[in-house]
Structure formats: structure tokens, C-alpha cells
Amino acid sequence: MMQTRVLPLLLLLAACTTPALKPVAVPPVPSAPVSVPLPAVAVPEPLPQNAAFTAWLGEYRRRVLARGGTPAAVESLLAGIEMQPRVLALDKRQPGDSGSATARFDAYLARQVDVGRINLGVAAANRVSETLAAVHARTGVPGEILLAIWGLETGYGKVTGNFDVPSALATLAWDGRRAALFTAELDAALSIIEKGLASRSMLRGSWAGAMGQPQFLPSSFLAYALDGDGDGRADIWQNETDTLMSIGNYFKQKGWQAGLSWGLPVTVPDGFDRTAIRSAERHKTCVRPLEKHSRWMPVAEWKARGLTGIAAFPADDVSAALIEPDGDGQGAYLVTRNYRIIMDYNCSNFYALSVALLGDAISNRPR
Ligand SMILES: [Ca+2]
């Protein structure tokens, strides 16, 4: 634009003062211009983070409106969404399954399942005993598993996270490392508002978008949250009964078998042949943690192979797998299909074993 305006004027001036073009002496280019400072070159600056995020959010708004999102719900969801650098920092710091490669389960267990958490679990068991019985009756999930999930996720509802969940999800979706996952969760948050299941201001939780006392992602809220106290709402943020009923429903829908324990600690005999129990299962999700499980065998077969501490298992025909989280001969657990349901909640052997053992500790403590 600028050139087209200025160029004719320059040509006009040149025509007035110079009758003809003459060769112009071009100064030689210095062969080694070491001391000559380079002229300042205007490098286009990258879009500031916030501007890039705002552009992403605008595109998201356009997309959800184009596919029929309720405008009022879309604006409600997007109102107050901000890019959260702290979410990005926490996401980059997050270790993989079970922490680093050198993390040990015994140390993790000692941290997660300490006397304080067990005692609070026993107190909670007394306080909400009627609710636990009601959830057990409806879902088949025993109280100690409900309490252990509740206790490990949020300290029995005390630490639910104070991040604005739509902001956290949008930040993670925009960041791109797991864009599809977090965009789908942002869509689920929109559905929660569209359906009037929770208000915009209630959508608070962890930096990774896990909400309320059971730490449900929005998609889990849509799929599993239940109203436990009969007021017509599933309030997983403030209501303990709704929280426990929702956790029970999650387990039931994922396939928890009523009356089947998660498993138990066992002792593996010296010289045990571990190559003979390797699993040929191929997993599509939660691959690395599930690769640590042996193949399934009936309890009777495990007994025949010399495992001890197994007598408490009620039935010899129950299918079970062996896990040694800290390596061969350093603590072993025989687990049932129900243990895999705990892993559905959080794909980690460290987590699932902690839930199982916290549950045992709570239920074995006198009330
Ligand atoms: Ca309710």
C-alpha cells in the first residue's frame, strides 16, 4: 500500500532532476564485516500466550455454536475462562504412572495411607454408616472401597481443588499435548451447564479438571453422578450422600461384582517361576500399569503353586492375577477382576493398591 503511493512521486522527482539514468557506483561489500553492527531486523514477535489462547477460545466458541450449542450456555461456560499458567506448570511436572521409574510402592503407600487418613476414614465410616449401607444396597460396592476412594481423592471431601474447571480444561486443550481429551471434557462441561445439572460457578476442582469430592471429570459426572439424598440434584461438591452414591454408581457401571473382594496380600515362595505366569493380554488403555499383572489363574492354581497367606480367599475358583509392585520378592498381591475396576478410576497400581489397603485398614479397625 505504502509503496504504490510513494513510488510515482519518487519517479516524478527523479524525472525532474535527472535527465537520464546513469550507472551508480556500488560500494564494495566488506568481506569480513566483523566490527560493523548488523542493522536491526524486525523479527515478527510470536503472538503473546494470552492472545493465542483468546484466539483459540474464539475458535472454540464458533465451533460449539456452529454445531448447535445453546448460546446462553456457551457464553456462561466461556465467561471467566482464563489461560492458567499454573495449570501448564503442574501438567508438565506430573509424573507418569506410579511416579518416576524408581518410585517405590512401599514409600508411596506409607505417604498415602498413614494413620491420620485411616483414623479419618474410621470416623467417616461411623458418621455416614447409613449412607454407606444405602449405596452398598444399590450398587454392591462395599463401604470401605467408597471411603477409600473418597479419602484418597479429597481427604474425605476436605480438599477438592479450587481451580475454575473450564479454565483448567481450556488451558490444557489449548496447550495441545492432550488436546482431544481436554476439548471433549470442555464439551462435557458445556453439557452440564446446558442440562442445568450444575451452575457455572460450581464447576471447581483440580488443575486437571477433576471436580468435587469424588474428583470426577465432567464426562464422568455426566455418566455416573447420582442424586443420593433425593433432592433431585447430584451435588458432588457439597453433598456427601451424593458423592458416595456417585462413586458407587461409577464402580457399578464399570462392572464391580458385588460380594467379590479386591484381593489380598500374599507371600510368593522362594524360587517361584515367574516366566510361567506371564500374561499374553494386550491392552489398549492403561498399558504400562496393566503389563505388571500376571495372567489370570484360579485361586486353587495359585495355592498349588505355593503362594501362602491366601487362605482368607473364600473361593478356589475365583480368577486372580499376581502383582509385585516393587519387583520380584518385594511384596506381592493377588488381585481379582474388581481390582481392575479400581484401576478404571485411576490407572495406576500404586493408586489402586492404596485404595484397596486403605479400605482394608478402615474396615479392620474397631469402630
Ligand atoms: Ca442430591
Side-chain angles (χ1 to χ4, degrees), residues 1-9:
M1 182 79 76
M2 182 82 84
Q3 278 182 344
T4 56
R5 275 189 200 154
V6 173
L7 202 56
L9 182 64

PDB file of all heavy atoms in Angstrom, residues 1-9:
ATOM      1  N   MET A   1       0.836  -1.198   0.000  1.00  0.00           N
ATOM      2  CA  MET A   1       0.000   0.000   0.000  1.00  0.00           C
ATOM      3  C   MET A   1       0.871   1.248   0.000  1.00  0.00           C
ATOM      4  O   MET A   1       0.727   2.118  -0.839  1.00  0.00           O
ATOM      5  CB  MET A   1      -0.904  -0.025   1.236  1.00  0.00           C
ATOM      6  CG  MET A   1      -1.857   1.157   1.311  1.00  0.00           C
ATOM      7  SD  MET A   1      -3.304   1.004   0.275  1.00  0.00           S
ATOM      8  CE  MET A   1      -4.282  -0.136   1.210  1.00  0.00           C
ATOM      9  N   MET A   2       1.824   1.284   0.935  1.00  0.00           N
ATOM     10  CA  MET A   2       2.701   2.437   1.052  1.00  0.00           C
ATOM     11  C   MET A   2       3.501   2.653  -0.230  1.00  0.00           C
ATOM     12  O   MET A   2       3.566   3.759  -0.745  1.00  0.00           O
ATOM     13  CB  MET A   2       3.655   2.202   2.222  1.00  0.00           C
ATOM     14  CG  MET A   2       4.596   3.354   2.480  1.00  0.00           C
ATOM     15  SD  MET A   2       3.804   4.638   3.433  1.00  0.00           S
ATOM     16  CE  MET A   2       4.030   4.025   5.088  1.00  0.00           C
ATOM     17  N   GLN A   3       4.085   1.583  -0.790  1.00  0.00           N
ATOM     18  CA  GLN A   3       4.951   1.696  -1.959  1.00  0.00           C
ATOM     19  C   GLN A   3       4.194   2.244  -3.169  1.00  0.00           C
ATOM     20  O   GLN A   3       4.690   3.102  -3.875  1.00  0.00           O
ATOM     21  CB  GLN A   3       5.539   0.330  -2.310  1.00  0.00           C
ATOM     22  CG  GLN A   3       6.757   0.017  -1.445  1.00  0.00           C
ATOM     23  CD  GLN A   3       7.380  -1.301  -1.802  1.00  0.00           C
ATOM     24  OE1 GLN A   3       6.748  -2.097  -2.470  1.00  0.00           O
ATOM     25  NE2 GLN A   3       8.592  -1.526  -1.370  1.00  0.00           N
ATOM     26  N   THR A   4       2.985   1.755  -3.373  1.00  0.00           N
ATOM     27  CA  THR A   4       2.258   2.177  -4.569  1.00  0.00           C
ATOM     28  C   THR A   4       1.930   3.661  -4.521  1.00  0.00           C
ATOM     29  O   THR A   4       1.798   4.308  -5.547  1.00  0.00           O
ATOM     30  CB  THR A   4       0.947   1.383  -4.736  1.00  0.00           C
ATOM     31  OG1 THR A   4       0.197   1.547  -3.553  1.00  0.00           O
ATOM     32  CG2 THR A   4       1.214  -0.078  -5.006  1.00  0.00           C
ATOM     33  N   ARG A   5       1.798   4.198  -3.302  1.00  0.00           N
ATOM     34  CA  ARG A   5       1.516   5.624  -3.215  1.00  0.00           C
ATOM     35  C   ARG A   5       2.775   6.462  -3.414  1.00  0.00           C
ATOM     36  O   ARG A   5       2.742   7.519  -4.000  1.00  0.00           O
ATOM     37  CB  ARG A   5       0.952   5.977  -1.830  1.00  0.00           C
ATOM     38  CG  ARG A   5      -0.538   5.761  -1.753  1.00  0.00           C
ATOM     39  CD  ARG A   5      -1.067   6.327  -0.449  1.00  0.00           C
ATOM     40  NE  ARG A   5      -2.345   5.747  -0.145  1.00  0.00           N
ATOM     41  CZ  ARG A   5      -2.813   5.630   1.079  1.00  0.00           C
ATOM     42  NH1 ARG A   5      -2.086   6.016   2.101  1.00  0.00           N
ATOM     43  NH2 ARG A   5      -3.985   5.118   1.285  1.00  0.00           N
ATOM     44  N   VAL A   6       3.877   6.009  -2.891  1.00  0.00           N
ATOM     45  CA  VAL A   6       5.089   6.827  -2.856  1.00  0.00           C
ATOM     46  C   VAL A   6       5.866   6.729  -4.158  1.00  0.00           C
ATOM     47  O   VAL A   6       6.437   7.703  -4.614  1.00  0.00           O
ATOM     48  CB  VAL A   6       5.971   6.394  -1.668  1.00  0.00           C
ATOM     49  CG1 VAL A   6       7.319   7.109  -1.701  1.00  0.00           C
ATOM     50  CG2 VAL A   6       5.245   6.677  -0.349  1.00  0.00           C
ATOM     51  N   LEU A   7       5.847   5.569  -4.765  1.00  0.00           N
ATOM     52  CA  LEU A   7       6.707   5.335  -5.922  1.00  0.00           C
ATOM     53  C   LEU A   7       6.478   6.333  -7.068  1.00  0.00           C
ATOM     54  O   LEU A   7       7.444   6.904  -7.579  1.00  0.00           O
ATOM     55  CB  LEU A   7       6.533   3.890  -6.395  1.00  0.00           C
ATOM     56  CG  LEU A   7       7.691   3.338  -7.206  1.00  0.00           C
ATOM     57  CD1 LEU A   7       9.004   3.448  -6.419  1.00  0.00           C
ATOM     58  CD2 LEU A   7       7.432   1.891  -7.611  1.00  0.00           C
ATOM     59  N   PRO A   8       5.239   6.644  -7.472  1.00  0.00           N
ATOM     60  CA  PRO A   8       5.052   7.594  -8.584  1.00  0.00           C
ATOM     61  C   PRO A   8       5.670   8.944  -8.271  1.00  0.00           C
ATOM     62  O   PRO A   8       6.240   9.605  -9.149  1.00  0.00           O
ATOM     63  CB  PRO A   8       3.526   7.691  -8.696  1.00  0.00           C
ATOM     64  CG  PRO A   8       3.000   6.436  -8.075  1.00  0.00           C
ATOM     65  CD  PRO A   8       3.973   6.077  -7.011  1.00  0.00           C
ATOM     66  N   LEU A   9       5.563   9.384  -7.024  1.00  0.00           N
ATOM     67  CA  LEU A   9       6.113  10.668  -6.635  1.00  0.00           C
ATOM     68  C   LEU A   9       7.630  10.665  -6.797  1.00  0.00           C
ATOM     69  O   LEU A   9       8.226  11.607  -7.322  1.00  0.00           O
ATOM     70  CB  LEU A   9       5.727  10.953  -5.177  1.00  0.00           C
ATOM     71  CG  LEU A   9       6.191  12.306  -4.615  1.00  0.00           C
ATOM     72  CD1 LEU A   9       5.513  13.446  -5.378  1.00  0.00           C
ATOM     73  CD2 LEU A   9       5.887  12.404  -3.133  1.00  0.00           C
TER      74      LEU A   9
END
